[in-house]
Amino acid sequence: MRDRYNTARVDREFFCPFRTVDAWRHQRKHEPELFAISVRLEETINERRAALGRDAVYLTRYGIPLTQAIPDTSPNDGSVDDDEGACDSGWCMT
């Protein structure tokens, strides 16, 4: 994975789907290289799933691509319902 995504920071969980919205926003603003890698990873996963005839999956709980879920705008522009303090893990299945 290190060679494919051209980063020495792969030991970090930079693409964890359990990240909060604020963590994704922070990454997009302060670590744009890692955010771009996360976007490419999500795209690669979905390209492979599409080739297998499977539905797309996403790295956020919103069911939309990362670039749409975490737009390059102000911290809360109303584009995504931002339940601050809500669990992003999905363990409760709600």
Side-chain angles (χ1 to χ4, degrees):
M1 184 167 172
R2 182 170 301 197
D3 296 332
R4 178 177 178 114
Y5 294 103
N6 195 22
T7 181
R9 299 178 71 181
V10 295
D11 56 329
R12 283 190 52 191
E13 294 179 12
F14 65 90
F15 61 88
C16 177
F18 300 123
R19 296 184 74 142
T20 64
V21 172
D22 282 340
W24 282 116
R25 286 184 183 138
H26 182 271
Q27 185 184 72
R28 183 162 194 157
K29 182 175 182 179
H30 299 287
E31 300 176 294
E33 308 84 25
L34 288 180
F35 188 81
I37 292 168
S38 298
V39 168
R40 286 196 319 262
L41 177 63
E42 183 180 72
E43 291 169 349
T44 299
I45 290 168
N46 285 320
E47 287 169 6
R48 291 180 181 178
R49 288 183 62 85
L52 296 171
R54 297 191 175 169
D55 292 337
V57 295
Y58 302 101
L59 294 179
T60 67
R61 64 183 171 159
Y62 299 116
I64 56 177
L66 191 55
T67 55
Q68 292 175 17
I70 312 299
D72 190 15
T73 59
S74 64
N76 189 1
D77 65 354
S79 62
V80 174
D81 180 22
D82 192 17
D83 298 332
E84 289 305 319
C87 176
D88 278 352
S89 72
W91 284 103
C92 65
M93 303 300 174
T94 61

